[in-house]
Amino acid sequence: MCGNMKTSRPIDERKARSKKNRWKTFRKYMQAKLLFTFVVVAAALLALSFILFSISGNTGEDYKKTVLTQQNYSSTVLPFKRGTIMDRNHTVLATSEQVYNLILDPKVILADERENTETTLDALVQCFGYDRGELSALLDEKADKSYVRYARQLSADDKTKFTTYETDFNKNAKKNKTAKVAGVWFEPEYKRVYPFNTLASSVLGFSSSDSSRGNWGIEQYYNEELVGTNGRSYGYMNNDGDLERVTKEAIDGNTVVTTIDYTVQSAAEQYIAEFLTEYKADNVGVLVMNPNNGEILGMATSSPYDLNNPGDLTAFYDEAAIAAMDDKAKSEALAGIWKNFAVQDAFEPGSTAKPFTVSAGLEENLISAASEYICDGAESFGSGSHEVTVKCNQVHGRVNLEESLMYSCNDAMMAIGQTLGNDIFSKYLSQFGFGKQTGIDLPGESPGLVYQPENMGVVDLATNAFGQNYNATMVQMAAAFSSVINGGSYYMPHMVKQVLSPEGDLVKDVEPVLMRETVSESTSEFIRTSLWKTVLDGTGKEAQIEGYDVGGKTGTAQKQPREDHKYLVSFMGFAPVEHPEVVVYVIVDNPEKLNLAEGEETNVSAKLAIGIEKKVMEAILPYLSISMSSEYIPETTAADTEPVTPTEPETDAAGNTIPASANPSDDERVQDDGILNDPTESAAASSEESSSKEGGNGDGPQTPEDDGSQSQEDHTTEEE
């Protein structure tokens, strides 16, 4: 036993030591495993933190929405405020005012066995005068709904009236433990408001009821600047039953500062309205432009409409006519009212285009200030059954280049047109911006309609030379004219000066855009001088304004079809002459005097347009601080002569008028003026071109067909 006991002790010790060693080994293994686990978990947490930070930084709002969609929550839209539209002096032309939609919650109103139904109906009837029976029926119909929009765009006063009633009533109800007002709340939104109702309606346009879309005008063209982004408020119950709320604030739209001047615009609209008390017309337009940068200061038409109620037809049609319209007819009627005539409608401009023809000839050195023309009152093209006669307004006799503008001589313009030829004339039409959009920042601009040189017949060229048989818009005419009188710089016409943030900080300055140079300074000086003399002693005498140097050009264009004898009269005025600061362009389409006496006819002439232009000029020249001046004496005049009264045409021994195409004596011969070709050659060329023209083509405006059905056609009458 003793021996056995001795041998067992070492064995026990060895076992103990072995167990101890295994425990040490296990502890080291566990430590290493725990350390590895800790490192992995720490790395995972670090990576998760990085991912969450990335999500929060880059797509935080989307992530919030994703989380919220997995829980029970409520969502309320926070509407944006559409940007304000101002005139150049920050007079507000269009703004958005906060209003409220009245929301009913039938579930709440009908809850607790309709305990609060009657008191809530009482409140709605008393505060707003709603029909109780209609409300009760609606609640029964929508009993399972929590959101019913019952009324829209209530004022802040309406909201305050109801909430005050509700607060006072419910305070007493709580005290007396009686039924209360419940289940009615107000949802904010914005209502577009135009403080001056009809002012600049064709320029501004209007917006949709939710302010998300602009219709027509600046509201449409600058919609992306004016529109904002709705915000949203999310509310939900978390796992602990607490109400959580996440709010994404709305982003309001930017403010657009226009080039329009409230005072100038008001004057233009006032004098159109005055004119329409004595005359009716298909259209009357007034466009006021700064010729030195393309800014539009005023743009008015004869069909202003209420921007706060753009769908109202009662100002334009009687009740019977409106009742007879179907939806399509109403839409067409409204589109006709809403469009901007000055930008979207093209017309034959008439003699206001003559400065462009003269400018082209001077720029090409094909005519000069010394050029003279003999006007016998008409020119004939072609021969026999294809002969076409184009008239002048009167027999001017011998006129120089300056006088051809002063007295608006068609014969002289036709001669210049022949000298230029199709290619050069068409080149300058394009150079002046005709046949293409100007780029003005308004929707729906018309490019007008012009002939291509290869499709232009001899009659087309002749009539184009004095502004007939091609179509242009008011804004095209004003932009081209501005370039001719400002020294040759063609600026893109534009309606907006600046874009500001909702806080009023500058977002963008809209700088003038110089598109091209159209004429030289010497040509510009000649045109300014000639048009100044046109007002002093030519067809534009009625446009004179005491104390100011005013220049201008009259126009009386005969409309298609010619046999209807309808006219579009116009006047393009500018001041001061030496350094023009303002252009006023007026057109009156198909004027007809009201309340004519028996046997009386409307005296249609450019004087009707001058009457409007002069009143606008007299109103705005002092306002724009345009200095009064003494009689304008140009530094140089290309004509180098004073205007003279046109002489009667030359006659032979028998008293017959000598045709303009007859060769004058050597000392009267005018070089490079296009009127001294051999008559037989001219007639042959006219006949050949007339037979190939066939009354127009798809590339240009239609002209009367030279089909032999009528001879000696009185093609066009121009300028009273």
Side-chain angles (χ1 to χ4, degrees), residues 56 176 178 180 244 311 352 447 534 544 591 684 687:
S56 176
N176 300 323
T178 55
K180 61 182 181 179
E244 298 285 350
T352 46
T534 298
Q544 295 176 14
S687 177

Side-chain angles (χ1 to χ4, degrees), residues 444-502:
E445 182 185 8
S446 169
L449 194 61
V450 299
Y451 279 105
Q452 299 303 310
E454 62 272 18
N455 298 313
M456 185 183 291
V458 64
V459 176
D460 304 321
L461 177 59
T463 54
N464 276 199
F466 56 82
Q468 296 268 188
N469 270 340
Y470 70 88
N471 291 347
T473 65
M474 288 191 73
V475 71
Q476 283 178 326
M477 288 291 294
F481 187 83
S482 292
S483 77
V484 172
I485 64 166
N486 73 9
S489 299
Y490 185 103
Y491 287 97
M492 180 187 293
H494 59 283
M495 303 296 311
V496 167
K497 285 177 64 70
Q498 292 179 324
V499 177
L500 307 177
S501 72

Side-chain angles (χ1 to χ4, degrees), residues 313 317 322 324-336:
L313 288 168
Y317 300 91
I322 296 173
M325 293 180 182
D326 57 18
D327 289 342
K328 181 180 179 182
K330 286 182 179 179
S331 296
E332 291 175 350
L334 288 170

Side-chain angles (χ1 to χ4, degrees), residues 428-438 447 476 480 490 516 518:
Y428 277 90
L429 275 186
S430 178
Q431 183 81 347
F432 288 124
F434 299 112
K436 53 190 173 185
Q437 294 175 327
T438 65
Q476 283 178 326
Y490 185 103
R516 55 190 170 271
T518 59

Side-chain angles (χ1 to χ4, degrees), residues 379-382 386-390 414 418 422 451 455-466 468-469 562 685-687 689-691 693 695 703-706 713 715-716:
E379 287 290 333
S380 295
F381 301 91
H386 290 282
E387 186 173 29
V388 176
T389 298
V390 183
M414 288 187 277
Q418 288 178 340
N422 292 3
Y451 279 105
N455 298 313
M456 185 183 291
V458 64
V459 176
D460 304 321
L461 177 59
T463 54
N464 276 199
F466 56 82
Q468 296 268 188
N469 270 340
R562 309 299 186 200
S686 299
S687 177
E689 289 198 55
S690 295
S691 63
K693 179 172 66 65
T703 59
E705 294 187 2
D706 303 327
E713 177 184 353
H715 189 71
T716 301

Side-chain angles (χ1 to χ4, degrees), residues 583-627:
V583 168
V584 178
Y585 183 32
V586 176
I587 71 103
V588 182
D589 184 5
N590 190 29
E592 184 178 337
K593 191 172 183 180
L594 300 173
N595 305 315
L596 286 171
E598 186 176 353
E600 183 184 4
E601 294 183 357
T602 301
N603 181 20
V604 177
S605 79
K607 293 179 181 179
L608 298 178
I610 291 176
I612 300 173
E613 186 271 350
K614 182 176 181 178
K615 290 179 179 179
V616 173
M617 275 283 198
E618 288 177 329
I620 69 175
L621 290 178
Y623 168 74
L624 296 175
S625 300
I626 294 177
S627 300

Side-chain angles (χ1 to χ4, degrees), residues 73-92:
Y73 71 96
S74 64
S75 174
T76 302
V77 173
L78 304 178
F80 69 84
K81 181 180 181 180
R82 188 174 179 87
T84 299
I85 301 176
M86 299 177 173
D87 87 333
R88 63 189 302 110
N89 301 310
H90 290 205
T91 299
V92 174

